[in-house]
Coordinates of all heavy atoms in Angstrom, one line a residue:
M27 N -11.1 -0.3 -9.1 CA -11.2 0.8 -8.1 C -11.1 2.1 -8.7 O -10.1 2.4 -9.4 CB -10.2 0.5 -7.0 CG -10.4 1.4 -5.8 SD -9.4 0.7 -4.4 CE -7.8 1.5 -4.6
N28 N -12.0 3.0 -8.5 CA -11.9 4.4 -9.0 C -10.9 5.1 -8.2 O -10.6 4.8 -7.1 CB -13.3 5.1 -8.9 CG -14.3 4.4 -9.8 OD1 -14.0 3.9 -10.9 ND2 -15.5 4.4 -9.4
S29 N -10.3 6.1 -8.9 CA -9.4 7.0 -8.1 C -10.2 7.8 -7.2 O -11.1 8.5 -7.5 CB -8.6 7.8 -9.1 OG -7.6 8.5 -8.5
P30 N -9.8 7.8 -5.9 CA -10.6 8.5 -4.9 C -10.3 10.0 -5.0 O -9.3 10.5 -5.5 CB -10.2 7.9 -3.6 CG -8.8 7.3 -3.8 CD -8.8 7.0 -5.3
D31 N -11.2 10.8 -4.4 CA -11.1 12.2 -4.3 C -10.2 12.6 -3.1 O -10.6 12.5 -1.9 CB -12.5 12.8 -4.1 CG -12.4 14.3 -4.1 OD1 -11.3 14.9 -4.1 OD2 -13.5 14.9 -4.2
F32 N -8.9 12.9 -3.4 CA -8.0 13.1 -2.3 C -8.4 14.3 -1.4 O -8.1 14.2 -0.2 CB -6.6 13.4 -2.9 CG -5.9 12.2 -3.5 CD1 -5.6 12.2 -4.8 CD2 -5.6 11.1 -2.7 CE1 -5.0 11.1 -5.4 CE2 -5.0 10.0 -3.2 CZ -4.7 10.0 -4.6
S33 N -9.1 15.2 -1.9 CA -9.5 16.4 -1.0 C -10.4 15.9 0.1 O -10.6 16.6 1.1 CB -10.1 17.5 -1.9 OG -11.3 17.0 -2.4
K34 N -11.1 14.8 -0.1 CA -12.1 14.4 0.9 C -11.5 13.3 1.8 O -12.2 12.8 2.7 CB -13.4 13.8 0.2 CG -14.2 14.9 -0.5 CD -15.5 14.4 -0.9 CE -16.3 15.4 -1.7 NZ -16.7 14.9 -3.1
M35 N -10.3 12.9 1.5 CA -9.7 11.9 2.3 C -9.1 12.4 3.6 O -8.7 13.5 3.7 CB -8.7 11.1 1.5 CG -9.3 10.3 0.4 SD -8.0 9.8 -0.8 CE -7.5 8.2 0.0
K36 N -9.0 11.4 4.6 CA -8.4 11.7 5.8 C -6.9 11.9 5.6 O -6.3 11.1 4.8 CB -8.6 10.6 6.9 CG -9.9 10.6 7.4 CD -10.0 9.6 8.6 CE -9.9 8.1 8.0 NZ -9.8 7.1 9.1
K37 N -6.3 12.8 6.2 CA -4.8 13.0 6.0 C -4.0 12.2 7.0 O -2.8 12.0 6.8 CB -4.5 14.5 6.2 CG -5.2 15.5 5.3 CD -4.6 15.4 3.9 CE -5.3 16.5 3.0 NZ -6.7 16.1 2.6
D38 N -4.6 11.8 8.1 CA -3.9 11.0 9.1 C -4.7 9.7 9.3 O -5.9 9.7 9.2 CB -3.8 11.7 10.4 CG -3.2 13.0 10.3 OD1 -2.0 13.1 9.9 OD2 -3.9 14.0 10.5
C39 N -4.0 8.7 9.7 CA -4.6 7.4 10.1 C -4.4 7.1 11.5 O -3.2 7.2 12.0 CB -4.1 6.3 9.2 SG -4.9 4.7 9.5
Q40 N -5.4 6.9 12.3 CA -5.3 6.6 13.7 C -4.6 5.3 13.9 O -3.9 5.1 15.0 CB -6.7 6.6 14.4 CG -7.0 7.9 15.0 CD -7.7 8.8 13.9 OE1 -8.5 8.4 13.2 NE2 -7.3 10.1 13.8
N41 N -4.8 4.3 13.1 CA -4.2 3.0 13.3 C -3.4 2.6 12.1 O -3.7 1.5 11.5 CB -5.2 2.0 13.8 CG -6.5 2.1 13.1 OD1 -6.6 2.8 12.1 ND2 -7.5 1.5 13.6
Q42 N -2.5 3.4 11.7 CA -1.7 3.1 10.5 C -0.9 1.8 10.6 O -0.8 1.1 9.6 CB -0.7 4.3 10.2 CG -0.3 4.3 8.7 CD 0.4 5.6 8.4 OE1 0.5 6.5 9.2 NE2 0.8 5.7 7.2
R43 N -0.4 1.5 11.7 CA 0.3 0.2 11.9 C -0.5 -1.0 11.6 O -0.2 -1.9 10.9 CB 0.8 0.1 13.4 CG 2.2 0.3 13.6 CD 2.5 0.0 15.0 NE 2.9 -1.4 15.2 CZ 4.2 -1.7 15.4 NH1 5.1 -0.8 15.5 NH2 4.6 -3.0 15.5
E44 N -1.7 -0.9 12.2 CA -2.7 -2.0 12.0 C -3.1 -2.1 10.5 O -3.2 -3.2 9.9 CB -3.9 -1.7 12.9 CG -4.5 -2.9 13.5 CD -5.7 -2.5 14.4 OE1 -5.4 -2.0 15.5 OE2 -6.8 -2.5 13.9
C45 N -3.4 -0.9 10.0 CA -3.8 -0.9 8.6 C -2.7 -1.5 7.7 O -3.0 -2.2 6.7 CB -4.0 0.6 8.2 SG -5.5 1.3 8.9
F46 N -1.5 -1.1 8.0 CA -0.4 -1.6 7.2 C -0.3 -3.1 7.2 O 0.0 -3.7 6.2 CB 0.9 -0.9 7.7 CG 2.1 -1.1 6.7 CD1 2.1 -0.5 5.5 CD2 3.1 -2.0 7.0 CE1 3.2 -0.7 4.6 CE2 4.2 -2.2 6.2 CZ 4.2 -1.5 4.9
E47 N -0.5 -3.7 8.4 CA -0.5 -5.1 8.5 C -1.6 -5.8 7.6 O -1.4 -6.8 7.0 CB -0.6 -5.6 9.9 CG 0.7 -5.6 10.6 CD 0.6 -5.7 12.1 OE1 -0.4 -6.4 12.6 OE2 1.5 -5.2 12.8
I48 N -2.8 -5.1 7.7 CA -3.9 -5.7 6.9 C -3.6 -5.5 5.4 O -3.8 -6.5 4.6 CB -5.2 -4.9 7.2 CG1 -5.6 -5.2 8.7 CG2 -6.3 -5.4 6.3 CD1 -6.8 -4.3 9.1
L49 N -3.0 -4.4 5.0 CA -2.8 -4.3 3.6 C -1.7 -5.1 3.1 O -1.7 -5.6 1.9 CB -2.7 -2.8 3.1 CG -1.5 -1.9 3.5 CD1 -0.4 -2.1 2.6 CD2 -2.0 -0.5 3.5
Q50 N -0.7 -5.4 3.9 CA 0.3 -6.4 3.6 C -0.3 -7.8 3.3 O 0.0 -8.5 2.4 CB 1.4 -6.5 4.7 CG 2.2 -5.3 4.9 CD 3.5 -5.4 4.2 OE1 3.8 -6.3 3.4 NE2 4.4 -4.4 4.4
S51 N -1.2 -8.1 4.2 CA -1.8 -9.5 4.1 C -2.7 -9.5 2.8 O -2.8 -10.6 2.2 CB -2.5 -9.9 5.4 OG -3.7 -9.2 5.6
I52 N -3.3 -8.4 2.5 CA -4.1 -8.3 1.3 C -3.2 -8.5 0.1 O -3.4 -9.4 -0.8 CB -4.9 -7.0 1.1 CG1 -6.0 -7.0 2.2 CG2 -5.5 -6.8 -0.3 CD1 -6.7 -5.6 2.3
I53 N -2.1 -7.8 0.0 CA -1.1 -7.9 -1.1 C -0.5 -9.3 -1.2 O -0.3 -9.9 -2.2 CB 0.0 -6.9 -1.0 CG1 -0.7 -5.5 -1.1 CG2 1.0 -7.0 -2.1 CD1 0.2 -4.3 -0.8
D54 N -0.3 -9.9 0.0 CA 0.3 -11.3 0.0 C -0.7 -12.3 -0.3 O -0.4 -13.5 -0.4 CB 0.9 -11.6 1.4 CG 2.2 -10.7 1.7 OD1 2.8 -10.3 0.7 OD2 2.5 -10.5 2.8
G55 N -2.0 -11.9 -0.4 CA -3.0 -12.9 -0.7 C -3.4 -13.7 0.5 O -4.0 -14.7 0.4
E56 N -3.1 -13.2 1.7 CA -3.5 -13.9 2.9 C -4.8 -13.5 3.6 O -5.3 -14.2 4.4 CB -2.3 -13.8 4.0 CG -1.1 -14.6 3.6 CD 0.1 -14.1 4.3 OE1 0.0 -13.2 5.2 OE2 1.2 -14.6 4.0
A57 N -5.2 -12.3 3.2 CA -6.5 -11.8 3.7 C -7.7 -12.5 3.1 O -7.6 -13.0 1.9 CB -6.6 -10.3 3.5
T58 N -8.8 -12.7 3.8 CA -10.0 -13.3 3.2 C -10.6 -12.2 2.2 O -10.4 -11.0 2.4 CB -11.0 -13.6 4.3 OG1 -11.5 -12.4 4.9 CG2 -10.4 -14.5 5.3
P59 N -11.4 -12.7 1.3 CA -12.1 -11.7 0.4 C -12.9 -10.7 1.1 O -13.0 -9.5 0.7 CB -13.0 -12.6 -0.5 CG -12.4 -14.0 -0.4 CD -11.7 -14.1 0.9
Q60 N -13.5 -11.1 2.3 CA -14.3 -10.2 3.1 C -13.5 -9.1 3.7 O -13.8 -8.0 3.7 CB -15.1 -10.9 4.2 CG -16.2 -11.8 3.7 CD -15.7 -13.3 3.5 OE1 -14.6 -13.5 3.0 NE2 -16.6 -14.2 3.8
Q61 N -12.4 -9.6 4.3 CA -11.4 -8.6 4.9 C -11.0 -7.6 3.8 O -10.9 -6.4 4.1 CB -10.2 -9.3 5.4 CG -10.3 -9.9 6.8 CD -9.1 -10.6 7.2 OE1 -8.5 -11.4 6.5 NE2 -8.6 -10.3 8.4
K62 N -10.6 -8.1 2.7 CA -10.1 -7.3 1.6 C -11.2 -6.3 1.2 O -10.9 -5.1 1.1 CB -9.7 -8.2 0.4 CG -9.1 -7.4 -0.7 CD -8.6 -8.4 -1.8 CE -8.3 -7.5 -3.1 NZ -7.6 -8.3 -4.1
E63 N -12.4 -6.8 0.9 CA -13.4 -5.9 0.4 C -13.8 -4.8 1.5 O -13.9 -3.6 1.1 CB -14.7 -6.7 0.2 CG -15.9 -5.9 -0.1 CD -16.8 -6.4 -1.2 OE1 -16.3 -7.2 -2.0 OE2 -17.9 -6.0 -1.3
H64 N -13.9 -5.2 2.7 CA -14.2 -4.3 3.8 C -13.1 -3.2 3.9 O -13.4 -2.0 3.9 CB -14.3 -5.0 5.1 CG -14.6 -4.1 6.3 ND1 -15.8 -3.7 6.5 CD2 -13.8 -3.5 7.2 CE1 -15.8 -2.8 7.6 NE2 -14.5 -2.8 8.0
F65 N -11.8 -3.7 3.9 CA -10.7 -2.7 4.0 C -10.7 -1.7 2.8 O -10.5 -0.5 3.0 CB -9.4 -3.5 4.2 CG -8.3 -2.6 4.5 CD1 -8.1 -2.0 5.8 CD2 -7.3 -2.3 3.6 CE1 -7.1 -1.2 6.1 CE2 -6.2 -1.5 3.8 CZ -6.1 -0.9 5.1
M66 N -10.8 -2.3 1.7 CA -10.7 -1.4 0.5 C -11.8 -0.4 0.4 O -11.6 0.7 0.1 CB -10.7 -2.3 -0.8 CG -9.7 -3.3 -0.9 SD -8.0 -2.7 -1.2 CE -7.8 -3.1 -2.9
K67 N -13.0 -0.9 0.7 CA -14.2 0.0 0.6 C -14.3 1.0 1.8 O -14.7 2.1 1.6 CB -15.4 -0.8 0.4 CG -15.5 -1.4 -1.0 CD -17.0 -1.6 -1.3 CE -17.1 -2.0 -2.8 NZ -17.9 -3.2 -3.0
E68 N -14.1 0.4 3.0 CA -14.4 1.2 4.2 C -13.3 2.0 4.6 O -13.4 3.0 5.4 CB -14.9 0.3 5.3 CG -16.0 -0.6 5.1 CD -17.3 0.2 4.8 OE1 -17.5 1.2 5.5 OE2 -18.0 -0.2 3.9
H69 N -12.1 1.7 4.2 CA -11.0 2.4 4.8 C -10.1 3.0 3.7 O -9.8 4.2 3.7 CB -10.2 1.5 5.7 CG -9.1 2.2 6.5 ND1 -9.4 3.0 7.6 CD2 -7.8 2.4 6.3 CE1 -8.3 3.6 8.0 NE2 -7.3 3.3 7.3
L70 N -9.6 2.2 2.8 CA -8.5 2.6 1.9 C -8.9 3.9 1.1 O -8.1 4.8 0.9 CB -8.2 1.5 1.0 CG -6.8 1.5 0.4 CD1 -5.8 1.3 1.6 CD2 -6.6 0.4 -0.6
E71 N -10.2 3.9 0.6 CA -10.6 5.0 -0.2 C -10.8 6.3 0.5 O -11.1 7.3 0.0 CB -11.9 4.6 -1.0 CG -11.6 3.6 -2.0 CD -12.7 3.2 -2.9 OE1 -13.8 3.8 -2.7 OE2 -12.6 2.3 -3.8
Q72 N -10.8 6.2 1.9 CA -11.0 7.4 2.7 C -9.7 7.8 3.5 O -9.7 8.8 4.1 CB -12.1 7.1 3.7 CG -13.4 7.0 3.0 CD -14.4 6.0 3.8 OE1 -14.4 6.0 5.0 NE2 -15.1 5.2 3.0
C73 N -8.7 7.0 3.4 CA -7.6 7.2 4.2 C -6.3 7.4 3.4 O -5.8 6.5 2.8 CB -7.4 6.1 5.2 SG -6.1 6.2 6.4
M74 N -5.9 8.6 3.3 CA -4.8 9.0 2.4 C -3.5 8.2 2.7 O -2.9 7.6 1.8 CB -4.5 10.5 2.5 CG -3.4 10.9 1.6 SD -4.0 11.7 0.1 CE -4.4 13.3 0.8
P75 N -3.0 8.2 4.0 CA -1.7 7.5 4.2 C -1.8 6.0 3.8 O -0.9 5.4 3.3 CB -1.5 7.6 5.7 CG -2.5 8.5 6.2 CD -3.5 8.8 5.2
C76 N -3.0 5.4 4.1 CA -3.1 4.0 3.8 C -3.3 3.7 2.3 O -2.7 2.8 1.8 CB -4.3 3.4 4.6 SG -4.0 3.3 6.3
Y77 N -4.0 4.6 1.7 CA -4.1 4.5 0.2 C -2.7 4.6 -0.4 O -2.4 3.8 -1.3 CB -5.0 5.7 -0.3 CG -5.2 5.7 -1.8 CD1 -6.2 4.9 -2.3 CD2 -4.4 6.4 -2.6 CE1 -6.4 4.9 -3.7 CE2 -4.6 6.4 -4.0 CZ -5.6 5.7 -4.5 OH -5.8 5.7 -5.9
K78 N -1.9 5.5 0.0 CA -0.6 5.7 -0.5 C 0.3 4.5 -0.2 O 1.0 4.0 -1.1 CB 0.1 7.0 0.0 CG -0.5 8.2 -0.7 CD 0.3 9.4 -0.5 CE -0.2 10.5 -1.4 NZ 0.5 11.8 -1.2
S79 N 0.2 4.0 1.0 CA 1.1 2.9 1.3 C 0.7 1.7 0.6 O 1.5 0.8 0.3 CB 1.3 2.7 2.8 OG 0.1 2.6 3.5
Y80 N -0.6 1.5 0.4 CA -1.0 0.3 -0.4 C -0.5 0.4 -1.8 O 0.1 -0.6 -2.2 CB -2.6 0.3 -0.4 CG -3.1 -0.8 -1.3 CD1 -3.2 -2.1 -0.8 CD2 -3.6 -0.6 -2.6 CE1 -3.6 -3.2 -1.5 CE2 -4.0 -1.6 -3.4 CZ -4.1 -2.9 -2.8 OH -4.5 -4.0 -3.6
H81 N -0.6 1.5 -2.4 CA -0.1 1.6 -3.8 C 1.4 1.5 -3.8 O 2.0 1.0 -4.8 CB -0.6 2.8 -4.5 CG -2.1 2.7 -4.8 ND1 -2.5 2.0 -6.0 CD2 -3.2 3.0 -4.1 CE1 -3.8 2.0 -6.0 NE2 -4.3 2.5 -4.9
L82 N 2.1 2.0 -2.8 CA 3.5 1.9 -2.7 C 3.9 0.4 -2.6 O 4.8 0.0 -3.4 CB 4.0 2.6 -1.4 CG 5.4 2.5 -1.0 CD1 6.4 3.0 -2.1 CD2 5.7 3.2 0.3
E83 N 3.3 -0.3 -1.8 CA 3.6 -1.8 -1.6 C 3.4 -2.5 -2.9 O 4.2 -3.4 -3.3 CB 2.9 -2.4 -0.5 CG 3.3 -2.0 0.9 CD 4.8 -2.3 1.2 OE1 5.2 -3.4 1.0 OE2 5.5 -1.4 1.6
V84 N 2.3 -2.2 -3.6 CA 1.9 -2.9 -4.8 C 3.0 -2.6 -5.9 O 3.5 -3.5 -6.5 CB 0.5 -2.5 -5.3 CG1 0.3 -3.0 -6.7 CG2 -0.5 -3.1 -4.4
A85 N 3.4 -1.3 -5.9 CA 4.4 -0.9 -6.9 C 5.7 -1.6 -6.7 O 6.4 -2.0 -7.6 CB 4.5 0.6 -6.9
I86 N 6.1 -1.6 -5.4 CA 7.4 -2.3 -5.0 C 7.4 -3.7 -5.4 O 8.3 -4.2 -6.0 CB 7.7 -2.1 -3.5 CG1 8.0 -0.7 -3.2 CG2 8.8 -3.1 -3.1 CD1 8.0 -0.4 -1.7
R87 N 6.3 -4.4 -5.1 CA 6.3 -5.8 -5.5 C 6.3 -6.1 -7.0 O 6.9 -7.0 -7.5 CB 5.0 -6.5 -4.9 CG 5.3 -6.9 -3.5 CD 4.1 -7.1 -2.7 NE 4.3 -6.6 -1.3 CZ 4.3 -7.4 -0.3 NH1 4.0 -8.7 -0.4 NH2 4.6 -7.0 0.9
E88 N 5.6 -5.2 -7.7 CA 5.7 -5.4 -9.2 C 7.0 -5.1 -9.7 O 7.5 -5.8 -10.6 CB 4.6 -4.5 -9.8 CG 3.3 -5.1 -9.8 CD 2.1 -4.3 -10.2 OE1 2.4 -3.1 -10.7 OE2 1.0 -4.7 -10.1
L89 N 7.7 -4.1 -9.2 CA 9.1 -3.8 -9.7 C 10.0 -4.9 -9.4 O 10.8 -5.3 -10.2 CB 9.6 -2.5 -9.0 CG 9.2 -1.2 -9.6 CD1 9.6 0.0 -8.7 CD2 9.9 -1.0 -11.0
L90 N 9.9 -5.5 -8.2 CA 10.7 -6.6 -7.8 C 10.5 -7.8 -8.7 O 11.4 -8.4 -9.1 CB 10.5 -6.9 -6.3 CG 11.0 -6.0 -5.3 CD1 10.7 -6.4 -3.9 CD2 12.5 -5.8 -5.4
K91 N 9.3 -8.0 -8.9 CA 8.9 -9.2 -9.8 C 9.5 -9.0 -11.2 O 10.0 -9.9 -11.8 CB 7.4 -9.3 -9.9 CG 6.9 -10.6 -9.4 CD 5.4 -10.8 -9.8 CE 4.5 -10.2 -8.7 NZ 3.1 -10.1 -9.2
A92 N 9.5 -7.7 -11.7 CA 10.0 -7.5 -13.0 C 11.5 -7.5 -13.0 O 12.1 -7.9 -14.0 CB 9.5 -6.1 -13.5
K93 N 12.1 -7.1 -11.9 CA 13.6 -7.0 -11.9 C 14.4 -8.2 -11.6 O 15.4 -8.4 -12.0 CB 14.0 -5.8 -11.0 CG 13.7 -4.5 -11.6 CD 14.6 -3.4 -10.9 CE 14.3 -2.1 -11.6 NZ 15.2 -1.0 -11.3
C94 N 13.8 -9.0 -10.7 CA 14.6 -10.1 -10.2 C 13.8 -11.4 -10.1 O 12.7 -11.4 -9.7 CB 15.3 -9.9 -8.9 SG 14.7 -8.4 -8.0
S95 N 14.4 -12.4 -10.5 CA 13.8 -13.7 -10.5 C 14.0 -14.3 -9.1 O 13.2 -15.1 -8.6 CB 14.3 -14.6 -11.5 OG 15.7 -14.6 -11.6
Q96 N 15.1 -13.9 -8.4 CA 15.4 -14.5 -7.1 C 15.0 -13.5 -6.0 O 14.6 -12.4 -6.3 CB 16.9 -14.8 -7.0 CG 17.3 -15.9 -8.0 CD 18.8 -16.0 -8.0 OE1 19.6 -15.2 -7.6 NE2 19.3 -17.1 -8.6
H97 N 15.3 -14.0 -4.8 CA 15.0 -13.1 -3.7 C 15.8 -11.8 -3.8 O 17.0 -11.8 -3.9 CB 15.3 -13.8 -2.4 CG 14.7 -13.1 -1.2 ND1 13.4 -13.0 -0.9 CD2 15.4 -12.4 -0.2 CE1 13.2 -12.3 0.2 NE2 14.4 -12.0 0.6
A98 N 15.1 -10.7 -3.6 CA 15.8 -9.4 -3.8 C 16.6 -9.0 -2.5 O 16.1 -9.2 -1.4 CB 14.8 -8.3 -4.1
P99 N 17.8 -8.4 -2.7 CA 18.5 -8.0 -1.5 C 17.8 -6.8 -0.9 O 17.1 -6.0 -1.6 CB 19.8 -7.6 -2.1 CG 19.7 -7.4 -3.5 CD 18.5 -8.2 -3.9
Q100 N 17.9 -6.6 0.4 CA 17.2 -5.6 1.1 C 17.5 -4.2 0.6 O 16.7 -3.3 0.6 CB 17.5 -5.7 2.6 CG 16.7 -4.8 3.5 CD 15.2 -5.2 3.4 OE1 14.8 -6.3 3.2 NE2 14.3 -4.2 3.6
E101 N 18.8 -3.9 0.2 CA 19.2 -2.6 -0.3 C 18.4 -2.2 -1.6 O 18.0 -1.1 -1.7 CB 20.7 -2.5 -0.7 CG 21.6 -3.0 0.4 CD 21.9 -4.4 0.3 OE1 22.8 -4.8 -0.5 OE2 21.3 -5.2 1.0
L102 N 18.2 -3.2 -2.4 CA 17.4 -3.0 -3.6 C 15.9 -2.6 -3.3 O 15.4 -1.7 -3.8 CB 17.4 -4.2 -4.5 CG 16.7 -4.1 -5.8 CD1 17.3 -3.0 -6.7 CD2 16.7 -5.4 -6.6
V103 N 15.4 -3.4 -2.3 CA 14.0 -3.1 -1.9 C 13.9 -1.6 -1.4 O 13.0 -0.9 -1.7 CB 13.6 -4.1 -0.8 CG1 12.2 -3.7 -0.3 CG2 13.6 -5.5 -1.3
E104 N 14.9 -1.3 -0.6 CA 14.9 0.1 0.0 C 15.1 1.2 -1.1 O 14.4 2.2 -1.0 CB 16.0 0.2 1.1 CG 15.7 -0.5 2.4 CD 14.3 -0.1 2.9 OE1 13.9 1.1 2.9 OE2 13.6 -1.0 3.3
S105 N 15.9 0.9 -2.0 CA 16.1 2.0 -3.1 C 14.9 2.1 -3.9 O 14.5 3.2 -4.3 CB 17.4 1.7 -3.9 OG 17.2 0.7 -4.8
I106 N 14.2 1.0 -4.2 CA 13.0 1.0 -5.0 C 11.9 1.8 -4.2 O 11.2 2.6 -4.7 CB 12.5 -0.4 -5.4 CG1 13.5 -1.0 -6.4 CG2 11.1 -0.3 -6.0 CD1 13.2 -2.4 -6.7
R107 N 11.8 1.4 -2.9 CA 10.8 2.0 -2.0 C 11.0 3.6 -2.0 O 10.1 4.3 -2.1 CB 11.0 1.5 -0.6 CG 9.8 1.8 0.3 CD 10.1 1.2 1.7 NE 10.2 -0.2 1.8 CZ 9.2 -1.0 2.1 NH1 8.0 -0.5 2.5 NH2 9.3 -2.3 2.2
K108 N 12.3 4.0 -1.9 CA 12.5 5.4 -1.9 C 12.1 6.1 -3.2 O 11.5 7.2 -3.2 CB 14.0 5.7 -1.7 CG 14.4 6.2 -0.3 CD 15.8 6.5 -0.2 CE 16.4 6.0 1.0 NZ 17.8 5.6 0.9
K109 N 12.4 5.5 -4.3 CA 12.0 6.0 -5.6 C 10.4 6.1 -5.7 O 9.9 7.1 -6.2 CB 12.5 5.1 -6.8 CG 13.9 5.4 -7.1 CD 14.3 4.8 -8.4 CE 15.8 4.8 -8.5 NZ 16.4 3.4 -8.7
V110 N 9.8 5.1 -5.3 CA 8.3 5.1 -5.4 C 7.7 6.2 -4.5 O 6.8 6.9 -4.9 CB 7.7 3.7 -5.1 CG1 6.2 3.7 -5.1 CG2 8.3 2.6 -6.0
I111 N 8.3 6.3 -3.3 CA 7.8 7.4 -2.4 C 8.0 8.8 -3.0 O 7.1 9.6 -3.0 CB 8.6 7.3 -1.0 CG1 8.1 6.1 -0.3 CG2 8.3 8.6 -0.2 CD1 8.9 5.8 1.0
E112 N 9.1 8.9 -3.7 CA 9.3 10.2 -4.4 C 8.3 10.4 -5.4 O 7.8 11.5 -5.6 CB 10.7 10.3 -5.0 CG 11.8 10.6 -4.0 CD 13.2 10.2 -4.5 OE1 13.4 10.0 -5.7 OE2 14.1 10.0 -3.7
N113 N 8.0 9.4 -6.2 CA 6.9 9.5 -7.2 C 5.6 9.9 -6.6 O 4.8 10.7 -7.2 CB 6.8 8.2 -8.0 CG 8.0 8.1 -9.0 OD1 8.6 9.0 -9.3 ND2 8.2 6.8 -9.4
L114 N 5.3 9.2 -5.5 CA 4.0 9.4 -4.9 C 3.9 10.9 -4.3 O 2.8 11.4 -4.3 CB 3.8 8.5 -3.7 CG 3.3 7.1 -4.1 CD1 3.3 6.2 -2.9 CD2 1.9 7.1 -4.7
A115 N 5.0 11.4 -3.9 CA 5.0 12.7 -3.3 C 4.7 13.9 -4.3 O 4.5 15.0 -3.9 CB 6.3 13.0 -2.5
Q116 N 4.8 13.6 -5.6 CA 4.7 14.6 -6.6 C 3.3 15.0 -6.8 O 2.4 14.3 -6.6 CB 5.3 14.1 -7.9 CG 6.8 14.2 -7.9 CD 7.4 13.4 -9.1 OE1 6.7 12.9 -10.0 NE2 8.7 13.3 -9.1
Ligands
ZN14 ZN1 -5.6 4.0 7.5

């Protein structure tokens, strides 16, 4: 996936909740390849909040995988999430 042009992206998402559920299922591997392709191409590259939250979720999962072999405590997830959000905001 090429890095999208942020200046052309939407700054708000009308259905961010719904989008978030779809992107969670994509990351979890539960979405079908068609759902994934459609969402990535038709939405993610044009929608800034969803683009960011997608990369945030991916980053969190990778960090968790790298840091813990067992189920991560919620506080750790939250502290990682905060750090990643700070990075994205720069
Ligand atoms: Zn969206």
Side-chain angles (χ1 to χ4, degrees):
M27 191 163 85
N28 296 327
S29 187
D31 184 350
F32 288 116
S33 66
K34 291 190 186 126
M35 289 168 91
K36 286 188 289 173
K37 303 282 186 288
D38 305 293
C39 183
Q40 267 84 46
N41 36 16
Q42 202 168 354
R43 251 188 97 106
E44 216 176 282
C45 289
F46 192 70
E47 277 169 27
I48 297 171
L49 68 85
Q50 292 266 8
S51 69
I52 290 172
I53 295 168
D54 290 337
E56 287 161 4
T58 65
Q60 292 93 321
Q61 277 179 310
K62 184 175 169 172
E63 171 140 339
H64 180 80
F65 186 73
M66 302 289 255
K67 285 206 173 130
E68 302 298 319
H69 190 77
L70 208 65
E71 289 184 4
Q72 292 150 36
C73 183
M74 181 103 82
C76 291
Y77 181 85
K78 287 194 169 174
S79 54
Y80 177 78
H81 287 276
L82 172 62
E83 288 301 309
V84 170
I86 288 169
R87 274 157 217 247
E88 277 171 7
L89 274 171
L90 287 177
K91 242 191 269 166
K93 285 202 177 190
C94 8
S95 47
Q96 292 170 348
H97 191 71
Q100 192 61 29
E101 308 90 81
L102 180 63
V103 177
E104 286 309 316
S105 77
I106 293 172
R107 197 182 292 263
K108 256 186 223 147
K109 279 194 196 122
V110 179
I111 289 172
E112 281 162 19
N113 285 339
L114 279 172
Q116 281 166 7

